[in-house]
Amino acid sequence: MSNLAQKHFNFDDEDVKIKKPSGHKASMNETQEFHFKDEDDVVSAKKPSGKRKLKKWPIVLGIFVLLIVIGIVSVYNMTKEDGPVYGDRCAGLLPITQNTKTTAIEAVKKDHNSVKSIHIETACRTVKIDIVYVGGTSARVAESIAQDAAKKLDAASGRPKATNSAFSDLFGTYNNEKQYEINFYLTAEDNASEYPIYGTKKAGSDNFNFTLASVRDQATYNKVNKK
């Protein structure tokens, strides 16, 4: 064989090998191919581009949690500054205990056979008295019993009568603060046409106002049924 040139013979099942100049380095984006004899497949290996995709769901979750924390802190600060639901509107009220209410209920049931059931509850500056009467009880009798229920509740508190009033300061004024008003809701088990009857007694006043189902006094009706 001549020294001037060399021939390289390849068989059909062999890939052509190309020698690259010495010192050649593959670039970052260059594809390197590895060839194996007796195989037709070429395995290519690309170097990673160096870019990573950020997942969105951890970011969304983090924002959601942050909003919840901000909401909780805001509610806490509002409660701390403004007080409970009613705020300062309930400050300075004399207490009406459950024992006081129970004593009044028992006294009303004992003295009035027309009363089927009676419920008394307090909500800030309002006392709510709900009475259900037996069938056949007239509206006039129902109103009279309701007024007596208010007086029995006042008596059960044990507080002395205020000056020039049939009630104590529990339903008047204490330390320059008006106390409780009373709202009535009167019904009858026979659903007579006069019922339901709504009534109110304002703090500091001995007067009662009642309106029948026809709602002659819309202001009283709205006051009793306000949420």
Side-chain angles (χ1 to χ4, degrees), residues 10 43 145 189:
N10 294 282
V43 180
I145 293 175
E189 60 179 352

Side-chain angles (χ1 to χ4, degrees), residues 101-165:
K101 290 182 280 188
T102 299
T103 300
I105 289 172
E106 292 176 349
V108 171
K109 288 182 176 180
K110 179 181 178 182
D111 292 349
H112 302 285
N113 295 328
S114 297
V115 174
K116 182 179 180 180
S117 65
I118 176 173
H119 178 73
I120 300 175
E121 66 175 277
T122 55
C124 194
R125 294 183 177 274
T126 302
V127 173
K128 298 180 180 180
I129 301 179
D130 297 347
I131 304 176
V132 179
Y133 296 95
V134 298
T137 304
S138 68
R140 184 177 297 275
V141 171
E143 292 174 10
S144 177
I145 293 175
Q147 294 181 52
D148 187 54
K151 293 176 181 177
K152 289 185 184 311
L153 179 63
D154 187 39
S157 71
R159 302 189 67 81
K161 295 288 188 296
T163 304
N164 299 322
S165 176

